[in-house]
């Protein structure tokens, strides 16, 4: 495919509204559907990709998520802002699996640049923003997306504004500051932060990169699905357990599986997709249980796993659709279970983030219910490293002893 005189490796053709099907140009800055407010999805000429690239030809490519270049939206290589992200390890957790009686896999995005899977969305969104000559980007974040946006914006030379809850993990706040972003701490939750971005973006000339309000973060996140397929030898696990906040990862993986089937790289088999949330913030779980089509705001949201503290995800409808289409489910777990599972992952040499630990807690619930069967292959998606949560985890995990103590509390 040629754009002017420059060879392009992207086969993007247009953007399409996920709700009403309206089409939009990918060569201009776009946010959500101007007709109905639905999320816009990038569409590609997959027939052309199919004739040019076989899955075997991926083998010699660099081990980053940009190996799926043809199905990513950036037209010109020089616009790609990359820190070598993606193609993170996927491997069996043998001991833990044996204990639970399932064939257990982990996909570990704790090893991503900026310490979380959010780098996938931001390398794509910032690259595309750069390609479309955007100068100033802003977003509301629980922490990790802000850190990733600030980092990629710094490398791209864009000005970045981040709004995050005041009690977000210190590492994320400092990361944004060190990366030169304008960081504002909001006395509220991520939806309040998103409200600020929405109200002020025109006045300050920001392009809003908040979850699923621009079309390209989800494109980066879908590489999780491509990698799971490729690293699994083009065979997908029976169940994928994913810590769900805004839902980009879940929606992105599902999009990937659809594209992979169109490319003929996988068949029609699909994993059952599981959304794990915390009992203190479980809007998707409640909506799924009720059989609702939309997600209602969860009151007084709180959890130690800040990335999944999203009281009303913008893409609620799409998350529910993925869960239903895949034959999946939604499950909530307590913060105590999450903290316990951070320690259980340690037995595999992993210091996972609380959101990642929630997947193990969720799986245990599903095994107890018999929803997951012992013979099945289950993939737990670890979305980040525990090292970004030292202040959040340290407080509840480490017992304090009085200076005059003559007995010790149990560990
Ligand atoms: C570590 C971590 N896990 C999971 C999530 C939830 O991601 P998603 O928006 O894909 O549901 C977040 C979002 O901030 C996060 O930071
Ligand atoms: Zn629409």
């Amino acid at each position: 495919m040629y754009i002017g005189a420059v060879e392009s490796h992207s086969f993007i053709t247009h953007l399409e509204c996920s709700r009403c099907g309206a089409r939009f140009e990918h060569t201009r800055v776009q946010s959500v559907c101007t007709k109905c407010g639905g999320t816009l999805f990038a569409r590609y000429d997959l027939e052309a990709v199919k004739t040019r690239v076989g899955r075997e030809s991926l083998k010699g490519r660099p081990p980053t998520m940009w190996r799926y270049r043809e199905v990513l939206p950036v037209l010109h290589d020089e616009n790609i802002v990359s820190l070598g992200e993606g193609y993170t390890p996927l491997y069996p957790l043998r001991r833990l699996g044996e204990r639970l009686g399932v064939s257990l896999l982990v996909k570990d995005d704790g090893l991503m640049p900026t310490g979380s899977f959010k780098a996938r969305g931001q390398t794509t969104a910032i690259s595309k923003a750069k390609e479309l000559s955007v100068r100033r980007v802003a977003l509301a974040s629980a922490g990790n997306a802000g850190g990733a946006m600030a980092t990629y914006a710094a490398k791209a030379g864009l000005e970045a504004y981040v709004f995050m809850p005041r009690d977000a993990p210190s590492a994320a706040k400092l990361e944004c500051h060190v990366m030169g972003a304008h960081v504002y701490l909001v006395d509220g939750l991520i939806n309040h932060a998103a409200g600020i971005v929405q109200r002020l973006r025109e006045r300050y000339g920001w392009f809003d990169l908040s979850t699923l309000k621009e079309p390209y973060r989800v494109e980066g996140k879908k590489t999780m699905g491509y990698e799971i397929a490729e690293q699994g030898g083009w065979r997908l696990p029976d169940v994928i357990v994913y810590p769900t906040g805004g839902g980009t990862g879940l929606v992105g993986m599902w999009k990937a599986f659809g594209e992979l089937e169109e490319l003929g790289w996988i068949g029609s088999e699909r994993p059952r997709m599981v959304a794990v949330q915390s009992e203190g913030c479980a809007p998707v779980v409640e909506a799924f249980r009720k059989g609702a089509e939309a997600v209602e705001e969860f009151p007084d949201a709180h959890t130690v796993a800040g990335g999944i503290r999203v009281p009303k995800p913008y893409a609620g409808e799409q998350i529910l659709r993925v869960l239903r289409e895949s034959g999946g489910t939604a499950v909530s777990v307590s913060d105590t279970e999450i903290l316990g599972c951070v320690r259980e992952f340690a037995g595999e040499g992993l210091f996972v983030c609380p959101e990642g630990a929630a997947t193990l807690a969720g799986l245990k619930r599903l095994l107890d219910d018999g929803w997951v069967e012992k013979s099945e292959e289950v993939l737990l998606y670890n979305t980040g490293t525990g090292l970004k949560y030292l202040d959040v985890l340290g407080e509840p995990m480490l017992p304090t002893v009085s200076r005059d103590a003559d007995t010790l509390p149990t560990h």
Side-chain angles (χ1 to χ4, degrees), residues 31-73:
S31 175
V32 292
C33 175
T34 49
K35 298 192 169 74
C36 76
T39 302
L40 301 184
F41 277 152
R43 298 295 178 206
Y44 300 82
D45 183 354
L46 295 175
E47 271 308 309
V49 177
K50 198 170 172 175
T51 56
R52 307 275 175 90
V53 193
R55 61 187 197 189
E56 291 307 308
S57 59
L58 296 174
K59 275 193 179 142
R61 296 189 178 188
T64 80
M65 56 175 259
W66 290 98
R67 65 202 278 108
Y68 310 111
R69 185 77 185 79
E70 288 82 358
V71 289
L72 289 170

Side-chain angles (χ1 to χ4, degrees), residues 117-118 142 144 221 242-249 307-308 353 355 383 389:
F117 78 124
K118 294 283 177 183
N144 288 322
K221 297 280 189 75
Y242 182 80
T244 303
T248 343
I308 53 176
C353 61
E355 295 82 355
T383 43
Y389 292 78

